[in-house]
Amino acid sequence: MRRTKSRPKVSISPSQKKLLTFIAVLCFIFQAVSLHMMYKTEHQEQIDNAKIYGESVASGIKLIVNSSLYITQSMENLYLHNRKPFLDEFDMYCTGLGTSTPSASEFFIAPCGIISHAWPEEIKDSTIGFNIIKDTELGEKSVQAISTREITVAGPNILKNGKTGFIIRNPIFTNGKFEAFSVVVLDWNKFVQQIISEVDTSASEYDFGVWKKNNRHTYTDEYGFIFTDRKSTRLNSSH
């Protein structure tokens, strides 16, 4: 019967144990730091993407609002300097003014705050003759626009035709005296769709919102928001 040789036992000195322990600790620290750096890099990338996305959305909103402000000012100039032809062909002028901004869906002229001309055709019966200064819900905004002589933006609000939109009121003055309003309404759904068509909202994990910042002439919900892309009946503060 052959005897098997027993393997010699490996002896580790205390100094070697300390070295191995030190190496193990270093490996653990290196792995932890690597994981932290990966997380930090990924987190920073998310922040950078969110910033780029937010700036794109803000740029789209600003473009639409500025375009709408320009329309109210164009209506003011036509009213002051070419009034009769402008009012006689109000529908034709509004059709042309609205081509650059699809979400600008309704236009009004309101001498002394009372709507005399409206576009498009289907809203005339429900809006002509309406006094926007004495409106129980939004009349305050019209009064503020007159007293401050500034264009005001309010919304989203339920309109006379039952739709939802932002109301942009431009007070018109002659020789320092208030004379009329030129008004543009941005349709809520078209407003959202116009932004989405210009910004790929599906590519981001973030929602976007517009809220009041040092602007007492803006109507907001209980959270301070005037607009959000969340699909709910109540605006909320997530962004």
Side-chain angles (χ1 to χ4, degrees), residues 70-71 74-75 78 86 92-101 107:
Y70 174 77
I71 292 174
S74 297
M75 293 171 67
L78 288 167
F86 172 52
M92 181 194 71
Y93 279 100
C94 291
T95 301
L97 289 171
T99 54
S100 61
T101 310
F107 300 151

Side-chain angles (χ1 to χ4, degrees), residues 61-69 71-72 101-108 153-157 159 163-168 183-192 194-195:
I61 293 172
K62 185 177 181 180
L63 182 64
I64 295 171
V65 173
N66 284 345
S67 178
S68 302
L69 296 178
I71 292 174
T72 65
T101 310
S103 54
S105 58
E106 299 178 11
F107 300 151
F108 304 94
V153 180
N157 297 114
L159 308 175
K163 294 183 179 181
T164 303
F166 293 93
I167 305 172
I168 302 175
V183 182
V184 171
V185 172
L186 297 177
D187 181 272
W188 167 276
N189 292 325
K190 292 181 180 178
F191 180 71
V192 174
Q194 188 171 347
I195 295 172

Side-chain angles (χ1 to χ4, degrees), residues 42 44-54 203-204 206:
E42 183 179 352
Q44 186 60 49
E45 185 178 348
Q46 289 178 340
I47 293 174
D48 292 341
N49 289 339
K51 183 178 180 182
I52 294 171
Y53 172 71
S204 175
Y206 295 85

